[in-house]
Amino acid sequence: MDKVFVKDLVEGETVTSFFLAKQVQVRQRRSGESFLTLVLADRTGEVPAVMWEGAEAAGRELAEGDILKVQGLLGTYQGERQLTVTRLRKAAPGEAALEDYLPRSPQDPGLLLARLRTAVEGIQEPFLQRLLQGLFADEAFLGAFTTAPAAKAIHHAVLGGLLEHTASVVGLCELLTGYYPALDRDLLLAAAILHDVGKVRELSWERTFDYTDAGRLLGHITLGTLLIEERIRAIPGFPEGLAERLLHCILSHHGELEWGSPKRPKTLEALVLHYAEDLDGKVNAFSHFVESHPDPQRPGWTQYNRSLDRYLFFGREPQPAPTPEA
Amino acid sequence: MDKVFVKDLVEGETVTSFFLAKQVQVRQRRSGESFLTLVLADRTGEVPAVMWEGAEAAGRELAEGDILKVQGLLGTYQGERQLTVTRLRKAAPGEAALEDYLPRSPQDPGLLLARLRTAVEGIQEPFLQRLLQGLFADEAFLGAFTTAPAAKAIHHAVLGGLLEHTASVVGLCELLTGYYPALDRDLLLAAAILHDVGKVRELSWERTFDYTDAGRLLGHITLGTLLIEERIRAIPGFPEGLAERLLHCILSHHGELEWGSPKRPKTLEALVLHYAEDLDGKVNAFSHFVESHPDPQRPGWTQYNRSLDRYLFFGREPQPAPTPEA
Amino acid sequence: MDKVFVKDLVEGETVTSFFLAKQVQVRQRRSGESFLTLVLADRTGEVPAVMWEGAEAAGRELAEGDILKVQGLLGTYQGERQLTVTRLRKAAPGEAALEDYLPRSPQDPGLLLARLRTAVEGIQEPFLQRLLQGLFADEAFLGAFTTAPAAKAIHHAVLGGLLEHTASVVGLCELLTGYYPALDRDLLLAAAILHDVGKVRELSWERTFDYTDAGRLLGHITLGTLLIEERIRAIPGFPEGLAERLLHCILSHHGELEWGSPKRPKTLEALVLHYAEDLDGKVNAFSHFVESHPDPQRPGWTQYNRSLDRYLFFGREPQPAPTPEA
Amino acid sequence: MDKVFVKDLVEGETVTSFFLAKQVQVRQRRSGESFLTLVLADRTGEVPAVMWEGAEAAGRELAEGDILKVQGLLGTYQGERQLTVTRLRKAAPGEAALEDYLPRSPQDPGLLLARLRTAVEGIQEPFLQRLLQGLFADEAFLGAFTTAPAAKAIHHAVLGGLLEHTASVVGLCELLTGYYPALDRDLLLAAAILHDVGKVRELSWERTFDYTDAGRLLGHITLGTLLIEERIRAIPGFPEGLAERLLHCILSHHGELEWGSPKRPKTLEALVLHYAEDLDGKVNAFSHFVESHPDPQRPGWTQYNRSLDRYLFFGREPQPAPTPEA
Amino acid sequence: MDKVFVKDLVEGETVTSFFLAKQVQVRQRRSGESFLTLVLADRTGEVPAVMWEGAEAAGRELAEGDILKVQGLLGTYQGERQLTVTRLRKAAPGEAALEDYLPRSPQDPGLLLARLRTAVEGIQEPFLQRLLQGLFADEAFLGAFTTAPAAKAIHHAVLGGLLEHTASVVGLCELLTGYYPALDRDLLLAAAILHDVGKVRELSWERTFDYTDAGRLLGHITLGTLLIEERIRAIPGFPEGLAERLLHCILSHHGELEWGSPKRPKTLEALVLHYAEDLDGKVNAFSHFVESHPDPQRPGWTQYNRSLDRYLFFGREPQPAPTPEA
Amino acid sequence: MDKVFVKDLVEGETVTSFFLAKQVQVRQRRSGESFLTLVLADRTGEVPAVMWEGAEAAGRELAEGDILKVQGLLGTYQGERQLTVTRLRKAAPGEAALEDYLPRSPQDPGLLLARLRTAVEGIQEPFLQRLLQGLFADEAFLGAFTTAPAAKAIHHAVLGGLLEHTASVVGLCELLTGYYPALDRDLLLAAAILHDVGKVRELSWERTFDYTDAGRLLGHITLGTLLIEERIRAIPGFPEGLAERLLHCILSHHGELEWGSPKRPKTLEALVLHYAEDLDGKVNAFSHFVESHPDPQRPGWTQYNRSLDRYLFFGREPQPAPTPEA
């Protein structure tokens, strides 16, 4: 059965498709009868829903986060769309594709991964080369690394977001190594590729983006450090000083203690990685925030941006006359 | 007369040359006789000096910051070099070249300026183009802009430092406009060229680097804003919104209120300019600090860096064996 | 047609008058019919309103911020007053007076302005005198200066608030120049008169108080500095040092970098202006907050004051017995 | 014997007078003989001294802070004045007047006290009136209150400084009660008079200004609160609410928790007292700092001011030509 | 009449009992009739209530915080319990027991008090001993001290909470005096017993926990200091140094100025008291927060904890297999 | 040859012994001859030294941190002891014992270690038991763990300081697990034992206490986490949740991000460990600081304590009369 997406639902038509359940609640009318309210969602949006018959039985079976097969009719209530549900059951495992329910990066993961592999191949330092080749040959790691979001919210909070963010930071660092010759190119690129790998253990992305227990208790900086150090230890002869400088870049990439780095950058590469990572995240967050504006084509002010604690101005004024007066 | 530089003074030889006077002091021996101690300096370093005869008369005439014609013999005192002065007078105006006494950027100002002119020519927006062409045709401005330091201390504190820093930030912004297509290239480059022009009024660089009264009372952010706004007002038809977005970049380029910007960045160009400016300053400060280390060739730790409030690690470990064990 | 104010609406009576529209929304009953809800406001308060007939047509035409001519009957819903609207159209330009819809300072603007003119005349320093006379002869400026609010919220957020606040700060500075003879009276009074003039460009006050684009991007401190400096430049021979000290007072009047001043006060006049301005704003905010209390006559605690981050105690206890026991 | 002050010592003349001893040290020449170095001080300045004969015996008897009777000859050493001491003994109690050795406020304490008494008499509220009359009738308290400094350093750090500072704050508050009619005049003036009385127990001023144990452990805010509350408790019928509002002003007069107030101002009087106290201290500190400048008559920059963390600009530029060009 | 508690109400049954009134509101149906909604509460929980008849008359008489005698029938509305009230009047004084309406510490106050008396008896220092014996013989003080909560919210916000918290801190300090022999045992224990006594004047606990005027204006640190100092003054010969060290512990027990202590700990006893008090409060808050979790038996994460600004993890994982593999 | 300690040198006597060299400098007399100045040190103190003959040759061979065999005569210069050196050579490896040159904890390491072993044996949880037994069976680790200092400065900066600090924190945690039954005793004690093990890699203690490269780049929190996690991974079946809770305690034991912990405490055990560790360090620092006071027996104020940013009061007043007046 083809998935019908929330954004494509048509008022007055009946739909049968799979949706993710949110905010499930059994409520009671003054008359005493029960009814079920819930929100149905997929990666294209959300729609409130109500079920008048069989609410109690349905309510006992459902939990938030379930994927449901739903039959219903789209109407409106208080000026908003509402789906009146006539039938409903939990999806069997495999019936529905995760990617229909969580937003995904629009960029092609194959392409992004290829770009990272090219960066790996360009690294001259043999131990860093070997460390990265080992990681990129580990299918379990690669599966997680190419699927994980980069955050629960704020920036790159989409499936594939970690890969997209990593590739973007690596690209920026490649530019910067060309611009500042004092940088140790191999070290900076290796650190850029690895800086957020701990997120494959910090976050979970089944039906919803959330933190794992390890994520909340240890955090991606420590989880990444543990993951990398284990691989370094398995490579005989890996120079200790190189390992320390690489791990220092991972640890310090948030830049300041109060932003969660247990050490502040003390090498040129760590300093540059911090700026590159921070800048790329901010530019991405800015652009996404503007895209979510109702009318992103006309210059103006966004809603209040909580993470930057300010309003943002986007767009350019209409083109001026071609030449100023002489 | 050829200048003899401090770094070239030879123990046991007599020298006659011009030097900048620092720490001038008339002191008294237990025997009651006066003598004069001072420090003689030029852009290559400093040497302590003592004058036994005619100290009182000389002391009355001299002030710190004077350039002196000095005759003396280089010896040592308590293990350090000391010049015993036999004759001394103040230099007449024009006898000595300022550049011998203040450090100068090693980069060629003509080349840097040419790079900026190329950037100006690449700007498509006609009003920004005209604003910048006007500024770069103003010989008085250009003279100051190519001579001024970028700071009293910390980074680019050399003659020509403002030009060097500006060119470096502009180059970085050119890379970034290529990388982030959402950026308004013309606006970002114009802002990068102009972001620190207020420093030509904030700083003075006669004999020593210091702040002017206007610099301490108003600061380069406001001085630059005033300078640019006056020129904008003189261009009929300059679009108001464009002027506001340009001046916003100047005002907010320090990034946070507590770093002296009266507004934080609210446009993508202002945000990127802040990062570019901050990163370029930090990389430059890092590199200069390492160069001032007694042994910058061997990897290790710098002295404590006050402006970053930490020790810095520089250099790479000796090359490892060419390949890790298979 | 005489304006009927919100505070004068009588339950059970029909009214026909102009009101400002807020929170316009077309909603749908379960039965499928549309109805319109909105809030009607003027400077005396707000009342919720509902319109059952012709809602869709009306909704298409209206926008928040419109001034409407409304006919309706005042009833109650869920214990609160509600106007049931029977007819409604947008006001034609000029039909309604702005001052009916925005709160206005209770103080007489003519009197306040006269007080400022007297202060200007009392300034001895000829260049400051001339600068201020020029400004107070500019009708366009005066029109804005006497109408603008002093803030979007918190203190003096009323039409005429900027004038009221300025006059109050000037009066306080007059007291202080008498008390601290070290102060340069002319400089302090000129700075007090000018300190917030940038608000005429930072704020807009058509139908609602808001920031302009220039206000958000540049802020009133910079806008005021630009406005004053342009006038200074037009006065031949204006002493540069005097201009710097005056502009320094404007720039630094918020007192600390993190409160938006790009420089902290470094002269006695700048220091005193900052305290006077801050104190006057706080006393005004305190008094307005107490006046908005349901029972401002009985001593007690206000609601939580968000801008001061505390509860405030107002009033005095009932008079004690006339004399303490001997 | 008339006191000869340090500032009046004449080179080449012998002096016999009393001085305060500082930095007492017995040292040894390479030849093995001992000599005594010390600094002799009074309220007009300091002079280094040396004693060649009888150094060991003298050194055993002396301690820093002793007042000495000294005979010696004023010469110079390394360009600075130095007193060569020939005889020396500790002063007997009563031989020397404390006021010769500690700086004293130039203002007349009798006049200042009279001003405060007038303020007390102007208070209408009978219980506040009685509280203050009681305090100003307590001779022991008055003795301390009129002698104590207002601080160990920074502002009003002179004998009589507490009285001077208090009178100045009271005078300022009198102006403000006239300006802001919402203020409870009696409460504000009583609080202004009492705000720093705890300093009579916080500081000691015998030979040098220092903190007492109680001062360091409890602080003048708590010590003042205890002192006032004990007196309030002794007045039958003192209204509890009035006592709380008065003590609140004392507690909160530093304005913020991090400045040592356990409560922030929550009444209008407490708010105004904090501003008045802070402003008066800052104006006083600014003026004293400028007076200590080598050349306070010519406009310019002070040394770096540690407590304000900035350089200060003082003075006015030379008079401009009498009129601007027409 | 026996109290029926909210947690024991049975659906479908009629109840007659006393409850505390909260959120009293008279509302209007579209039909124009009035009805009364309120929340009824006691120490076991809350239930929403509605009264259809006689709402206006009842509404005029009631205020939030009243204790009511209520007759009604428990039903449900929108899936939640709701009491439909048929009769209602205000309770006469003495009809209802305060303890039924405010939560109470589960610990036996007699036992806790006995524990404190034992601690008092163990104090060797005679003046501290006498100070505490005097306090614990004051029945009015004891009544308040054993009933007061320790806070309005966050930790120990229950009747008897102050006693429970004090006893817990005293017990912890007893352990610490055994562990760190450098501590002055008598001083630390006396300070631990007394550290929060000011809360008997800072808080009120009639029907609801709130701050008194004195609590908001002066705070428990100052109120406690005043209370203790008055008693010290009444004991002839109480050593001044001891009094200062004791009061210092009270003043500084919040540890930092920004947490409301006017002095930071400067003695070992003050330092240890601060840690003991802070740790005990945090452990108590943590445990209470976990207990309020819906399922405190299964390990997991709490709701977001506002006072600690984080999520908390509680519980232990299920027991592992008894032994690791050899 | 028996070591002669600095504190035992006798004026006028000749000594031959080993000392640590500090501040080595070759200087020149006005006459042109060279001489050598240095400071000789061991764990009991320091003495300045001078060598008149053979200075240049000696100076070429020596470096700071060398251990020297020295022959010389103790005299005085400018009132201080000075050793005039007649012969001097570098010590051969093994000639001198490290412990003579660095301060060592006065506590018996065998006893401390035994106490920790007892704590390990008391742990019931089999995997934690096994983890700790493994660590305490590792001789290389034990050697470092029992010798390392706990810090470069401030607290426990002595050989054996890490062991002493760990044992003290463990003892305190044992008390606390008895007092707060909600604590997971096994987890808390294991975390207490392990919390600072990373210091064996963070610090170096050869001749002087310093940070290693790894210490500065990664820090003891990360180094300890890596060390523990490697051992956990080597124990098959170690429960993942237990590992996460243990490592969380290590990571968060500094309590706040700005104090270097990448996560703040989120479990009860992590919270308590942080307080115990912080309190024990503070009590230790306080006591050591008092012991370094010239007269620690008489109550009074210490020098300014930089790490606590305050003066500390120590000692108790002289015993009062045995009983207060009745």
Side-chain angles (χ1 to χ4, degrees), chain C:
Chain C
M1 189 185 69
D2 277 359
K3 169 82 177 106
V4 182
F5 285 102
V6 166
K7 75 167 170 45
D8 299 327
L9 295 176
V10 179
E11 218 167 309
E13 293 196 356
T14 294
V15 65
T16 304
S17 191
F18 292 95
F19 298 97
L20 179 70
K22 292 179 162 182
Q23 302 175 32
V24 177
Q25 219 176 345
V26 176
R27 307 173 70 182
Q28 221 166 346
R29 288 201 257 188
R30 197 166 282 195
S31 63
E33 297 151 276
S34 298
F35 62 104
L36 179 80
T37 64
L38 70 169
V39 169
L40 296 173
D42 59 30
R43 65 172 161 81
T44 69
E46 298 183 349
V47 63
V50 64
M51 183 174 182
W52 301 108
E53 310 293 326
E56 300 228 9
R60 267 193 300 276
E61 276 179 29
L62 303 186
E64 295 195 24
D66 283 344
I67 295 191
L68 309 178
K69 184 166 184 190
V70 172
Q71 186 190 67
L73 170 74
L74 191 72
T76 60
Y77 175 60
Q78 294 199 348
E80 293 187 14
R81 303 195 308 168
Q82 187 188 60
L83 192 80
T84 302
V85 175
T86 44
R87 294 178 59 183
L88 167 163
R89 70 163 168 82
K90 286 171 77 167
E95 266 192 318
L98 171 60
E99 311 200 347
D100 289 343
Y101 303 94
L102 285 176
R104 166 170 277 288
S105 163
Q107 302 198 26
D108 175 355
L111 207 66
L112 294 171
L113 198 56
R115 231 189 279 160
L116 288 187
R117 286 193 195 278
T118 307
V120 169
E121 278 153 27
I123 287 176
Q124 306 291 318
E125 209 291 331
F127 289 97
L128 294 175
Q129 169 74 232
R130 178 160 168 190
L131 170 66
L132 289 162
Q133 292 290 13
L135 197 67
F136 278 72
D138 176 338
E139 289 302 324
F141 169 78
L142 273 188
F145 186 62
T146 54
T147 313
K152 196 184 160 189
I154 293 174
H155 81 91
H156 294 102
V158 292
L159 287 176
L162 175 58
L163 180 61
E164 181 187 338
H165 171 62
T166 301
S168 190
V169 172
V170 168
L172 185 51
C173 286
E174 284 174 327
L175 287 184
L176 294 170
T177 57
Y179 199 66
Y180 294 115
L183 285 166
D184 181 337
R185 186 186 183 282
D186 289 346
L187 178 62
L188 179 59
L189 292 188
I193 294 168
L194 294 169
H195 80 280
D196 265 352
V197 292
K199 287 188 173 171
V200 305
R201 285 195 58 205
E202 185 188 42
L203 295 165
S204 66
W205 51 92
E206 295 172 13
R207 287 168 195 168
T208 175
F209 298 146
D210 208 345
Y211 289 96
T212 61
D213 284 1
R216 279 184 173 164
L217 290 173
L218 308 181
H220 73 271
I221 282 191
T222 296
L223 289 167
T225 300
L226 290 170
L227 186 157
I228 297 165
E229 207 255 358
E230 185 182 4
R231 288 186 166 272
I232 285 175
R233 219 184 295 137
I235 300 175
F238 202 106
E240 195 173 349
L242 181 63
E244 288 167 3
R245 285 164 66 219
L246 177 64
L247 293 177
H248 173 69
C249 290
I250 310 306
L251 283 184
S252 67
H253 82 261
H254 283 189
E256 297 289 340
L257 301 186
E258 54 268 42
W259 300 335
S261 270
K263 287 285 171 187
R264 294 170 303 153
K266 297 179 176 184
T267 65
L268 196 54
E269 293 76 24
L271 193 77
V272 168
L273 176 61
H274 161 58
Y275 273 87
E277 209 266 349
D278 197 10
L279 173 59
D280 191 70
K282 289 281 198 312
V283 168
N284 183 280
F286 192 110
S287 299
H288 274 212
F289 202 71
V290 167
E291 280 161 27
S292 74
H293 190 271
D295 185 1
Q297 299 311 316
R298 220 177 38 172
W301 293 93
T302 62
Q303 298 296 306
Y304 182 76
N305 183 303
R306 194 172 295 274
S307 84
L308 290 172
D309 181 29
R310 68 193 83 163
Y311 294 88
L312 301 171
F313 186 87
F314 59 92
R316 314 172 187 191
E317 56 273 49
Q319 279 308 101
T323 49
E325 298 173 30

Side-chain angles (χ1 to χ4, degrees), chain C residues 323-326, chain D residues 127 130 234-236:
Chain C
T323 49
E325 298 173 30
Chain D
F127 288 97
R130 178 158 168 191
I235 300 176

